[in-house]
Amino acid sequence: MKAIEAHAHLRRNAKGFDKIVESGIFEEIWLMDLSGVRLNGIEFATREEILQATKDFKGVVRAFGYLDLDGATEQPDILKEMGFVGLKPYKPHFPYSDERYFPIYERAQALRMPVLFHTGLVAKGPAWGIEKSKRSFGPINMQPQNLAAIAEAFPDLKIMQGHLGWPYIEQTEQNLYYYKNITCDVSGFRRCVGDLPSFFDKKCNDGSESLRFFNQKTLFATDQFYGAEADNAAALKIFEFWKLYFELVGSVYWRWGQKEETEKFFYSNAAEIRDYCGWE
């Protein structure tokens, strides 16, 4: 089965990542740059390390550059010139939909750089006053509903919503239902796996030429921090979990488990973003 890992991270001084890439299990791995961000003691790879991985494994590893929404408007241009193909904002000072950020989204749309937004529950960071930062606290500025305004204002911008936006699932459903340019990924999301059958099976009214369902707008991803033995192994287990879930639950009881529908979740939905953006 072909699969694109659409949302993952790389640790500083990663070990064993080359074996994951060369195993052929994933046709592509999309790494999100969070250099400069520390979560639960994890030190993420530097920009240089991530970009080097894209050179070492050209065509397999893709990189999304860290986007400081409170920074300069020309960041998308700079990051694309460096070799990043997409953008990854995190904990902005204002809600994602704040119009102060619109010039940045306008540049991303013009450059055909998809933006993967963290949505929903977020890992706890340093307390206020410990580090000087414009980052916000908690998930309030990263609720899925903020992406609706961006999708409406920039209909040609590919918007990827990370983590299904849990626990704001109703907001996620509204986004997928109405906006053609919004997709979501399942990375880090297995809390409400019992609710997923009906989620995947819901119809969209997003203006697509043909009828689409939510499984056609959902991407396989793990959100693992590649570079530590436990995380490398966990990513492969998560892949097997979703394969079995689609095979043993979906194909028996639900439309989305059929082979041609499963392929969309694991590969085609992400490939559609890649092909639209013209990545080499």
Side-chain angles (χ1 to χ4, degrees):
M1 173 186 293
K2 293 195 298 184
I4 293 176
E5 152 77 289
H7 181 171
H9 301 279
L10 191 67
R11 290 174 180 261
R12 186 82 190 273
N13 302 315
K15 297 179 180 179
F17 181 61
D18 57 333
K19 295 180 180 178
I20 295 287
V21 177
E22 294 169 351
S23 70
I25 293 172
F26 303 128
E27 185 161 307
E28 296 182 26
I29 299 176
W30 298 359
L31 295 178
M32 306 296 142
D33 171 28
L34 283 181
S35 54
V37 175
R38 296 185 70 90
L39 296 175
N40 302 323
I42 297 173
E43 187 173 5
F44 291 102
T46 63
R47 280 182 174 179
E48 291 72 24
E49 287 175 306
I50 290 176
L51 289 172
Q52 187 61 50
T54 68
K55 297 174 183 176
D56 293 340
F57 308 105
K58 186 174 177 59
V60 178
V61 175
R62 316 280 192 178
F64 282 50
Y66 173 65
L67 176 64
D68 178 7
L69 286 173
D70 299 294
T73 300
E74 62 269 20
Q75 284 177 89
D77 300 82
I78 295 171
L79 291 168
K80 185 163 188 175
E81 182 66 25
M82 292 175 67
F84 291 102
V85 298
L87 304 167
K88 178 67 169 76
Y90 184 72
K91 284 192 172 183
H93 189 59
F94 303 102
Y96 284 142
S97 57
D98 193 291
E99 291 190 23
R100 278 170 280 198
Y101 301 146
F102 276 24
I104 294 179
Y105 301 143
E106 185 177 34
R107 289 306 305 149
Q109 177 177 250
L111 294 168
R112 292 200 174 190
M113 297 183 78
V115 184
L116 193 151
F117 293 89
H118 178 103
T119 56
L121 189 69
V122 66
K124 185 172 65 175
W128 183 78
I130 290 182
E131 64 173 21
K132 294 181 180 179
S133 172
K134 289 185 178 180
R135 292 191 198 106
S136 59
F137 297 86
I140 189 66
N141 289 341
M142 301 184 290
Q143 293 186 55
Q145 64 185 1
N146 291 314
L147 303 187
I150 304 169
E152 182 176 338
F154 304 99
D156 293 324
L157 176 65
K158 292 294 184 181
I159 296 171
M160 301 165 62
Q161 182 183 306
H163 317 299
L164 276 176
W166 188 89
Y168 310 108
I169 298 299
E170 288 186 358
Q171 295 180 20
T172 297
E173 291 183 353
Q174 292 175 42
N175 285 346
L176 296 182
Y177 181 80
Y178 278 115
Y179 299 102
K180 186 177 181 178
N181 54 330
I182 295 183
T183 57
C184 68
D185 72 53
V186 294
S187 67
F189 182 89
R190 293 180 298 283
R191 299 173 184 86
C192 300
V193 70
D195 297 327
L196 283 177
S198 60
F199 175 87
F200 284 133
D201 213 47
K202 291 183 176 180
K203 296 179 181 179
C204 301
N205 187 25
D206 64 0
S208 298
E209 293 181 3
S210 59
L211 175 65
R212 292 207 291 183
F213 295 84
F214 279 18
N215 76 286
Q216 292 171 263
K217 302 185 73 177
T218 308
L219 314 174
F220 164 73
T222 71
D223 193 33
Q224 286 302 299
F225 307 128
Y226 287 107
E229 183 178 351
D231 288 281
N232 296 345
L236 301 182
K237 288 181 180 179
I238 291 170
F239 176 55
E240 290 301 321
F241 165 81
W242 286 112
K243 280 174 55 180
L244 291 172
Y245 184 72
F246 271 71
E247 177 183 348
L248 301 180
V249 178
S251 65
V252 176
Y253 303 109
W254 297 88
R255 173 202 57 78
W256 50 262
Q258 299 303 310
K259 184 177 180 180
E260 62 275 14
E261 297 297 325
T262 297
E263 191 267 349
K264 295 171 184 175
F265 168 79
F266 282 103
Y267 182 80
S268 292
N269 297 340
E272 181 182 328
I273 295 172
R274 176 199 64 199
D275 295 343
Y276 172 83
C277 296
W279 301 346
E280 297 181 356

